[in-house]
Amino acid sequence: MVNIEAENIKKKILSEFPDVKSVDIIHSTGIVSAGEISLLVFISAGHRHQAIQAAARLSSSSKIIFRSGQKEIFEDDSHNGNNSN
């Protein structure tokens, strides 16, 4: 599911920002400890301004989409989030 959503976001960014040449989105799956990298984005464009705008748009889109399946597990094994696993 994450890969499908990442691909949809990538297509949207490439269509909205004509100067953006490449978008790569890597999202962690499984257990990610606090402080570990969970999302890595690479954007290349002919002009810095377009890359920055595209990164901002991607960031706001990914927060909504990728967060929906997350569950935060605390040290006492209690949790919150939408994932029932």
Coordinates of all heavy atoms in Angstrom, one line a residue:
M1 N 0.8 -1.2 0.0 CA 0.0 0.0 0.0 C 0.9 1.3 0.0 O 0.6 2.2 -0.7 CB -0.9 0.0 1.2 CG -1.8 1.1 1.3 SD -3.2 0.9 0.2 CE -4.3 2.2 0.8
V2 N 1.9 1.3 0.8 CA 2.8 2.4 0.9 C 3.4 2.7 -0.5 O 3.5 3.9 -0.9 CB 3.9 2.2 2.0 CG1 4.9 3.3 1.9 CG2 3.3 2.2 3.3
N3 N 3.9 1.7 -1.2 CA 4.5 1.8 -2.5 C 3.6 2.4 -3.5 O 4.0 3.2 -4.3 CB 5.1 0.5 -2.9 CG 6.3 0.1 -2.1 OD1 7.0 0.9 -1.5 ND2 6.6 -1.2 -2.1
I4 N 2.3 2.0 -3.5 CA 1.3 2.5 -4.4 C 1.1 3.9 -4.1 O 1.0 4.8 -5.1 CB 0.0 1.7 -4.3 CG1 0.2 0.2 -4.8 CG2 -1.1 2.3 -5.1 CD1 -0.9 -0.7 -4.4
E5 N 0.9 4.3 -2.9 CA 0.7 5.7 -2.5 C 1.9 6.6 -2.9 O 1.7 7.7 -3.4 CB 0.3 5.9 -1.0 CG -1.0 5.3 -0.7 CD -2.2 5.9 -1.4 OE1 -2.1 7.0 -1.8 OE2 -3.1 5.1 -1.6
A6 N 3.1 6.1 -2.6 CA 4.3 6.8 -3.0 C 4.4 7.0 -4.5 O 4.7 8.1 -4.9 CB 5.5 6.0 -2.5
E7 N 4.0 6.1 -5.3 CA 4.0 6.2 -6.7 C 3.0 7.2 -7.2 O 3.2 8.0 -8.1 CB 3.7 4.8 -7.4 CG 4.0 4.8 -8.9 CD 5.4 5.2 -9.3 OE1 6.3 4.9 -8.6 OE2 5.5 5.8 -10.4
N8 N 1.8 7.2 -6.5 CA 0.8 8.2 -6.9 C 1.3 9.6 -6.6 O 1.0 10.6 -7.3 CB -0.5 7.9 -6.1 CG -1.2 6.7 -6.6 OD1 -1.0 6.3 -7.8 ND2 -2.0 6.1 -5.8
I9 N 1.9 9.8 -5.4 CA 2.4 11.1 -5.0 C 3.5 11.6 -6.0 O 3.6 12.7 -6.5 CB 3.0 11.1 -3.6 CG1 1.9 11.0 -2.6 CG2 3.8 12.4 -3.3 CD1 2.3 10.7 -1.2
K10 N 4.4 10.6 -6.4 CA 5.5 10.9 -7.4 C 4.9 11.4 -8.7 O 5.3 12.4 -9.2 CB 6.3 9.7 -7.6 CG 7.4 9.8 -8.6 CD 8.1 8.5 -8.8 CE 9.1 8.6 -9.9 NZ 9.9 7.3 -10.0
K11 N 3.9 10.7 -9.2 CA 3.2 11.1 -10.5 C 2.6 12.5 -10.4 O 2.7 13.3 -11.3 CB 2.2 10.1 -10.9 CG 2.8 8.8 -11.4 CD 1.7 7.8 -11.7 CE 2.3 6.5 -12.1 NZ 1.2 5.4 -12.3
K12 N 2.0 12.8 -9.2 CA 1.3 14.1 -9.0 C 2.4 15.2 -9.0 O 2.2 16.2 -9.6 CB 0.6 14.1 -7.7 CG -0.2 15.3 -7.4 CD -1.0 15.2 -6.1 CE -1.7 16.5 -5.8 NZ -2.4 16.5 -4.6
I13 N 3.5 15.0 -8.3 CA 4.6 16.0 -8.2 C 5.1 16.2 -9.6 O 5.3 17.4 -10.0 CB 5.7 15.5 -7.2 CG1 5.1 15.5 -5.8 CG2 6.9 16.4 -7.3 CD1 4.6 16.8 -5.2
L14 N 5.4 15.2 -10.4 CA 6.0 15.3 -11.7 C 5.0 16.1 -12.6 O 5.5 16.8 -13.5 CB 6.4 14.0 -12.3 CG 7.6 13.3 -11.6 CD1 7.7 11.8 -12.1 CD2 8.8 14.1 -11.9
S15 N 3.7 15.9 -12.5 CA 2.8 16.6 -13.3 C 2.6 18.0 -12.9 O 2.4 18.9 -13.8 CB 1.4 15.9 -13.4 OG 0.8 16.0 -12.1
E16 N 2.7 18.3 -11.6 CA 2.5 19.7 -11.1 C 3.7 20.6 -11.3 O 3.6 21.8 -11.4 CB 2.1 19.7 -9.7 CG 0.7 19.2 -9.4 CD 0.3 19.3 -7.9 OE1 0.8 20.2 -7.2 OE2 -0.4 18.4 -7.5
F17 N 4.9 20.0 -11.3 CA 6.1 20.8 -11.4 C 6.9 20.4 -12.6 O 7.7 19.4 -12.6 CB 6.9 20.6 -10.1 CG 6.2 21.1 -8.9 CD1 5.5 20.2 -8.1 CD2 6.3 22.4 -8.5 CE1 4.8 20.6 -7.0 CE2 5.7 22.8 -7.3 CZ 4.9 21.9 -6.6
P18 N 6.7 21.1 -13.7 CA 7.4 20.6 -15.0 C 8.9 20.7 -15.0 O 9.5 19.9 -15.8 CB 6.8 21.6 -16.0 CG 6.3 22.8 -15.3 CD 5.9 22.3 -13.9
D19 N 9.5 21.4 -14.1 CA 10.9 21.5 -14.1 C 11.6 20.4 -13.2 O 12.8 20.1 -13.3 CB 11.4 22.8 -13.5 CG 12.8 23.2 -13.8 OD1 13.2 23.0 -15.0 OD2 13.6 23.6 -12.9
V20 N 10.7 19.6 -12.5 CA 11.2 18.5 -11.7 C 11.5 17.3 -12.6 O 10.6 16.9 -13.4 CB 10.2 18.1 -10.6 CG1 10.6 16.8 -9.9 CG2 10.1 19.2 -9.5
K21 N 12.7 16.8 -12.5 CA 13.1 15.7 -13.4 C 13.0 14.3 -12.8 O 12.8 13.4 -13.5 CB 14.6 15.9 -13.9 CG 14.9 17.3 -14.4 CD 14.0 17.6 -15.7 CE 14.4 18.9 -16.2 NZ 13.3 19.6 -17.0
S22 N 13.1 14.3 -11.5 CA 13.1 13.0 -10.8 C 12.6 13.1 -9.4 O 12.9 14.1 -8.7 CB 14.6 12.4 -10.8 OG 14.6 11.2 -10.1
V23 N 11.8 12.1 -9.0 CA 11.3 12.0 -7.6 C 11.5 10.6 -7.1 O 11.0 9.7 -7.8 CB 9.8 12.4 -7.5 CG1 9.3 12.3 -6.1 CG2 9.6 13.8 -8.0
D24 N 12.2 10.4 -6.0 CA 12.3 9.1 -5.4 C 11.8 9.2 -4.0 O 12.2 10.1 -3.2 CB 13.7 8.6 -5.4 CG 14.2 8.2 -6.8 OD1 13.5 7.5 -7.5 OD2 15.2 8.8 -7.2
I25 N 11.0 8.3 -3.6 CA 10.4 8.2 -2.2 C 10.7 6.9 -1.6 O 10.3 5.9 -2.2 CB 8.9 8.5 -2.2 CG1 8.5 9.8 -2.9 CG2 8.3 8.4 -0.8 CD1 7.1 10.0 -3.2
I26 N 11.3 6.9 -0.5 CA 11.6 5.6 0.2 C 11.0 5.8 1.6 O 11.3 6.7 2.4 CB 13.1 5.4 0.4 CG1 13.8 5.3 -1.0 CG2 13.4 4.1 1.2 CD1 15.3 5.4 -1.0
H27 N 10.0 4.9 1.9 CA 9.3 4.9 3.2 C 9.6 3.6 3.9 O 9.5 2.5 3.4 CB 7.8 5.1 3.0 CG 7.1 5.4 4.2 ND1 6.7 4.4 5.1 CD2 6.6 6.6 4.7 CE1 6.0 5.0 6.1 NE2 6.0 6.3 5.9
S28 N 10.0 3.7 5.2 CA 10.3 2.5 6.0 C 9.0 1.7 6.2 O 7.9 2.3 6.3 CB 10.9 2.9 7.3 OG 12.1 3.6 7.1
T29 N 9.1 0.4 6.3 CA 8.0 -0.4 6.7 C 8.5 -1.2 7.9 O 9.6 -1.3 8.2 CB 7.6 -1.4 5.6 OG1 8.8 -2.2 5.2 CG2 7.1 -0.6 4.4
G30 N 7.5 -1.8 8.6 CA 7.8 -2.6 9.8 C 8.1 -1.6 11.0 O 7.7 -0.5 11.0
I31 N 8.8 -2.1 12.0 CA 9.1 -1.4 13.2 C 10.2 -0.4 12.9 O 11.3 -0.7 12.5 CB 9.5 -2.3 14.4 CG1 8.3 -3.2 14.7 CG2 9.9 -1.5 15.6 CD1 8.5 -4.3 15.7
V32 N 9.9 0.9 13.2 CA 10.9 2.0 13.1 C 11.0 2.6 14.5 O 10.0 3.1 15.0 CB 10.5 3.0 12.1 CG1 11.5 4.1 12.0 CG2 10.3 2.4 10.7
S33 N 12.2 2.5 15.1 CA 12.4 3.1 16.4 C 12.4 4.6 16.4 O 12.7 5.2 15.3 CB 13.7 2.6 17.0 OG 13.7 1.2 17.2
A34 N 12.0 5.2 17.5 CA 12.1 6.7 17.6 C 13.4 7.2 17.2 O 14.5 6.7 17.6 CB 11.7 7.1 19.0
G35 N 13.5 8.2 16.4 CA 14.7 8.8 16.0 C 15.3 8.2 14.7 O 16.2 8.8 14.1
E36 N 14.8 7.1 14.2 CA 15.2 6.4 13.0 C 14.5 7.1 11.8 O 13.4 7.6 11.9 CB 14.9 4.9 13.0 CG 15.8 4.2 14.0 CD 15.5 2.7 13.9 OE1 14.6 2.2 13.2 OE2 16.3 1.9 14.6
I37 N 15.2 7.0 10.7 CA 14.6 7.6 9.5 C 13.4 6.8 9.0 O 13.5 5.6 8.8 CB 15.7 7.7 8.4 CG1 16.7 8.7 8.8 CG2 15.0 8.2 7.0 CD1 18.0 8.7 7.9
S38 N 12.3 7.4 8.8 CA 11.1 6.7 8.3 C 10.7 7.1 6.9 O 10.0 6.4 6.2 CB 9.9 6.9 9.2 OG 9.6 8.3 9.3
L39 N 11.2 8.3 6.4 CA 10.9 8.8 5.1 C 12.1 9.5 4.5 O 12.6 10.3 5.1 CB 9.7 9.7 5.1 CG 9.2 10.3 3.8 CD1 8.7 9.3 2.9 CD2 8.2 11.4 4.0
L40 N 12.5 9.1 3.3 CA 13.6 9.7 2.6 C 13.1 10.1 1.2 O 12.5 9.3 0.5 CB 14.7 8.7 2.5 CG 16.0 9.2 1.9 CD1 16.6 10.3 2.8 CD2 17.0 8.0 1.9
V41 N 13.3 11.3 0.8 CA 12.9 11.8 -0.5 C 14.0 12.5 -1.2 O 14.8 13.2 -0.6 CB 11.8 12.9 -0.2 CG1 11.3 13.5 -1.5 CG2 10.6 12.3 0.5
F42 N 14.1 12.1 -2.5 CA 15.1 12.7 -3.4 C 14.3 13.4 -4.5 O 13.5 12.8 -5.1 CB 16.0 11.7 -4.0 CG 16.8 10.9 -3.1 CD1 16.4 9.7 -2.6 CD2 18.1 11.4 -2.7 CE1 17.2 9.0 -1.7 CE2 18.9 10.7 -1.8 CZ 18.4 9.5 -1.3
I43 N 14.6 14.7 -4.8 CA 14.0 15.4 -5.8 C 15.1 16.2 -6.6 O 15.9 16.8 -6.0 CB 13.0 16.5 -5.3 CG1 11.8 15.8 -4.6 CG2 12.4 17.3 -6.5 CD1 10.8 16.7 -4.0
S44 N 15.1 16.0 -7.9 CA 16.0 16.7 -8.8 C 15.2 17.6 -9.7 O 14.2 17.2 -10.3 CB 17.0 15.8 -9.5 OG 16.3 15.0 -10.4
A45 N 15.7 18.8 -9.9 CA 15.0 19.7 -10.8 C 16.1 20.6 -11.5 O 17.2 20.8 -10.9 CB 14.0 20.6 -10.1
G46 N 15.7 21.3 -12.6 CA 16.6 22.2 -13.2 C 16.8 23.5 -12.4 O 17.8 24.1 -12.5
H47 N 15.8 23.8 -11.6 CA 16.0 25.0 -10.8 C 15.6 24.7 -9.3 O 14.6 24.0 -9.0 CB 15.0 26.1 -11.3 CG 15.4 26.6 -12.6 ND1 14.9 26.0 -13.8 CD2 16.2 27.6 -13.0 CE1 15.4 26.6 -14.8 NE2 16.2 27.6 -14.4
R48 N 16.4 25.2 -8.4 CA 16.2 25.0 -7.0 C 14.8 25.3 -6.5 O 14.3 24.6 -5.7 CB 17.3 25.8 -6.2 CG 17.2 25.7 -4.8 CD 18.3 26.5 -4.1 NE 18.4 27.8 -4.7 CZ 19.4 28.7 -4.5 NH1 20.3 28.4 -3.6 NH2 19.4 29.8 -5.1
H49 N 14.3 26.4 -6.9 CA 13.0 26.9 -6.4 C 11.9 25.8 -6.7 O 11.1 25.5 -5.8 CB 12.6 28.2 -7.1 CG 11.3 28.8 -6.6 ND1 11.1 29.3 -5.3 CD2 10.1 28.9 -7.2 CE1 9.9 29.7 -5.2 NE2 9.3 29.5 -6.3
Q50 N 11.9 25.2 -7.9 CA 10.9 24.2 -8.2 C 11.1 22.9 -7.3 O 10.2 22.3 -6.8 CB 11.0 23.8 -9.7 CG 10.5 24.7 -10.6 CD 9.0 24.4 -11.0 OE1 8.7 23.2 -11.1 NE2 8.2 25.4 -11.0
A51 N 12.4 22.6 -7.1 CA 12.7 21.4 -6.2 C 12.2 21.7 -4.8 O 11.6 20.8 -4.1 CB 14.2 21.1 -6.2
I52 N 12.4 22.9 -4.3 CA 11.9 23.2 -2.9 C 10.4 23.2 -2.8 O 9.8 22.7 -1.9 CB 12.5 24.6 -2.5 CG1 14.0 24.4 -2.3 CG2 11.9 25.1 -1.2 CD1 14.8 25.7 -2.1
Q53 N 9.7 23.8 -3.8 CA 8.3 23.8 -3.8 C 7.7 22.3 -3.9 O 6.8 22.0 -3.2 CB 7.7 24.6 -5.0 CG 7.9 26.1 -4.8 CD 7.2 26.8 -5.9 OE1 7.4 26.4 -7.1 NE2 6.5 27.9 -5.6
A54 N 8.3 21.5 -4.8 CA 7.9 20.1 -4.9 C 8.1 19.4 -3.6 O 7.3 18.6 -3.2 CB 8.7 19.5 -6.1
A55 N 9.2 19.6 -2.9 CA 9.5 18.9 -1.7 C 8.5 19.3 -0.6 O 8.0 18.5 0.1 CB 10.9 19.2 -1.2
A56 N 8.1 20.6 -0.6 CA 7.1 21.0 0.4 C 5.8 20.4 0.1 O 5.1 19.9 1.0 CB 7.0 22.5 0.4
R57 N 5.4 20.3 -1.2 CA 4.1 19.7 -1.5 C 4.1 18.2 -1.2 O 3.2 17.7 -0.6 CB 3.8 19.9 -3.0 CG 2.6 19.2 -3.6 CD 1.3 19.9 -3.1 NE 1.3 21.3 -3.3 CZ 1.0 21.9 -4.5 NH1 0.7 21.2 -5.5 NH2 1.0 23.2 -4.6
L58 N 5.2 17.5 -1.5 CA 5.4 16.1 -1.2 C 5.3 15.9 0.3 O 4.6 14.9 0.7 CB 6.7 15.6 -1.8 CG 6.8 14.1 -1.8 CD1 7.6 13.6 -3.0 CD2 7.4 13.6 -0.6
S59 N 5.9 16.7 1.0 CA 6.0 16.5 2.5 C 4.6 16.6 3.1 O 4.2 15.8 3.9 CB 6.9 17.6 3.1 OG 6.8 17.5 4.5
S60 N 3.8 17.6 2.7 CA 2.5 17.7 3.2 C 1.6 16.6 2.7 O 0.7 16.1 3.5 CB 1.9 19.1 2.8 OG 1.7 19.2 1.4
S61 N 1.7 16.1 1.5 CA 0.9 15.0 1.0 C 1.3 13.7 1.8 O 0.4 12.9 2.2 CB 1.2 14.8 -0.5 OG 0.7 15.8 -1.2
S62 N 2.6 13.5 2.0 CA 3.0 12.2 2.6 C 2.6 12.1 4.1 O 2.3 11.1 4.6 CB 4.5 12.0 2.4 OG 5.2 13.0 3.1
K63 N 2.6 13.3 4.8 CA 2.2 13.3 6.2 C 0.7 12.7 6.3 O 0.4 12.0 7.2 CB 2.2 14.7 6.8 CG 3.6 15.1 7.0 CD 3.6 16.5 7.6 CE 5.0 17.1 7.7 NZ 5.0 18.5 8.1
I64 N -0.1 13.1 5.4 CA -1.5 12.7 5.5 C -1.6 11.2 5.1 O -2.3 10.4 5.8 CB -2.4 13.5 4.5 CG1 -2.4 15.0 5.0 CG2 -3.8 13.0 4.4 CD1 -2.9 16.0 4.0
I65 N -1.0 10.8 4.0 CA -1.2 9.5 3.4 C -0.4 8.4 4.3 O -1.0 7.4 4.6 CB -0.7 9.4 2.0 CG1 -1.7 10.3 1.1 CG2 -0.6 8.0 1.5 CD1 -1.2 10.6 -0.2
F66 N 0.9 8.6 4.5 CA 1.7 7.6 5.2 C 1.3 7.5 6.7 O 1.5 6.4 7.3 CB 3.1 7.8 5.0 CG 3.6 7.7 3.6 CD1 4.5 8.7 3.0 CD2 3.1 6.7 2.7 CE1 4.9 8.6 1.7 CE2 3.5 6.6 1.4 CZ 4.4 7.6 0.9
R67 N 0.9 8.5 7.3 CA 0.6 8.5 8.7 C -0.6 7.6 9.0 O -0.8 7.1 10.1 CB 0.4 9.9 9.3 CG 0.1 9.9 10.7 CD 0.9 10.9 11.5 NE 0.5 11.0 12.8 CZ 1.1 10.3 13.8 NH1 2.0 9.4 13.5 NH2 0.7 10.4 15.1
S68 N -1.5 7.5 8.1 CA -2.8 6.8 8.3 C -2.6 5.3 8.7 O -3.5 4.8 9.4 CB -3.7 6.9 7.1 OG -3.1 6.2 6.0
G69 N -1.5 4.7 8.4 CA -1.3 3.3 8.8 C -0.3 3.1 9.9 O 0.0 2.0 10.2
Q70 N 0.1 4.1 10.6 CA 1.1 4.0 11.6 C 0.5 3.7 13.0 O -0.7 4.1 13.3 CB 1.9 5.3 11.7 CG 2.8 5.5 10.5 CD 3.6 6.8 10.6 OE1 3.3 7.6 11.5 NE2 4.6 7.0 9.8
K71 N 1.2 3.0 13.8 CA 0.9 2.8 15.2 C 2.1 3.1 16.0 O 3.2 2.6 15.7 CB 0.4 1.4 15.4 CG 0.1 1.1 16.8 CD -0.6 -0.3 17.0 CE 0.2 -1.4 16.6 NZ -0.3 -2.7 17.0
E72 N 2.0 3.9 17.0 CA 3.1 4.3 17.9 C 3.0 3.4 19.1 O 1.9 3.3 19.8 CB 3.0 5.7 18.3 CG 4.2 6.3 19.0 CD 4.1 7.8 19.2 OE1 3.1 8.4 18.9 OE2 5.0 8.3 19.8
I73 N 4.1 2.7 19.4 CA 4.1 1.7 20.5 C 5.1 2.3 21.6 O 6.2 2.7 21.3 CB 4.6 0.3 20.1 CG1 3.7 -0.2 19.0 CG2 4.7 -0.6 21.3 CD1 4.3 -1.5 18.4
F74 N 4.5 2.4 22.8 CA 5.3 3.0 23.9 C 6.1 2.0 24.7 O 5.8 0.8 24.5 CB 4.4 3.8 24.8 CG 3.6 4.9 24.0 CD1 2.3 4.7 23.7 CD2 4.2 6.1 23.7 CE1 1.6 5.7 23.0 CE2 3.6 7.0 23.0 CZ 2.2 6.9 22.6
E75 N 7.0 2.4 25.5 CA 7.8 1.5 26.3 C 7.0 0.5 27.1 O 7.4 -0.6 27.4 CB 8.8 2.3 27.2 CG 9.9 2.9 26.4 CD 10.9 3.7 27.3 OE1 10.8 3.6 28.5 OE2 11.7 4.3 26.7
D76 N 5.8 0.9 27.6 CA 5.0 0.0 28.4 C 4.1 -0.9 27.5 O 3.1 -1.5 28.0 CB 4.1 0.8 29.4 CG 3.1 1.7 28.7 OD1 3.1 1.7 27.5 OD2 2.3 2.3 29.5
D77 N 4.3 -0.9 26.2 CA 3.6 -1.7 25.2 C 2.2 -1.2 25.0 O 1.4 -1.8 24.2 CB 3.5 -3.2 25.6 CG 4.9 -3.9 25.4 OD1 5.6 -3.5 24.5 OD2 5.1 -4.9 26.1
S78 N 1.8 -0.1 25.5 CA 0.6 0.6 25.1 C 0.8 1.2 23.8 O 2.0 1.4 23.3 CB 0.1 1.6 26.2 OG 1.0 2.7 26.2
H79 N -0.2 1.6 23.1 CA -0.1 2.1 21.7 C -1.2 3.1 21.3 O -2.2 3.1 22.0 CB 0.1 1.0 20.7 CG -1.1 0.1 20.6 ND1 -2.3 0.5 19.9 CD2 -1.4 -1.1 21.2 CE1 -3.2 -0.5 20.0 NE2 -2.7 -1.4 20.8
N80 N -0.9 3.8 20.3 CA -2.0 4.6 19.7 C -1.8 4.5 18.1 O -0.9 3.9 17.7 CB -1.9 6.1 20.1 CG -0.7 6.8 19.6 OD1 0.1 6.3 18.9 ND2 -0.5 8.0 20.0
G81 N -2.7 5.0 17.4 CA -2.6 4.9 15.9 C -3.8 4.2 15.3 O -4.6 3.6 16.1
N82 N -3.8 4.1 14.0 CA -4.9 3.5 13.3 C -4.7 2.0 13.0 O -5.6 1.3 12.6 CB -5.1 4.2 12.0 CG -5.6 5.7 12.3 OD1 -6.2 5.9 13.3 ND2 -5.2 6.6 11.4
N83 N -3.5 1.5 13.1 CA -3.2 0.2 12.8 C -3.5 -0.8 14.0 O -3.1 -0.6 15.1 CB -1.7 0.0 12.5 CG -1.3 -1.3 11.9 OD1 -2.1 -2.3 12.0 ND2 -0.2 -1.4 11.2
S84 N -4.3 -1.8 13.7 CA -4.8 -2.6 14.8 C -3.8 -3.8 15.1 O -4.1 -4.6 15.9 CB -6.2 -3.2 14.5 OG -6.1 -3.9 13.3
N85 N -2.7 -3.9 14.4 CA -1.7 -5.0 14.6 C -1.0 -4.8 15.9 O -0.6 -3.8 16.3 CB -0.8 -5.1 13.5 CG -1.5 -5.6 12.2 OD1 -2.5 -6.2 12.3 ND2 -0.9 -5.2 11.1

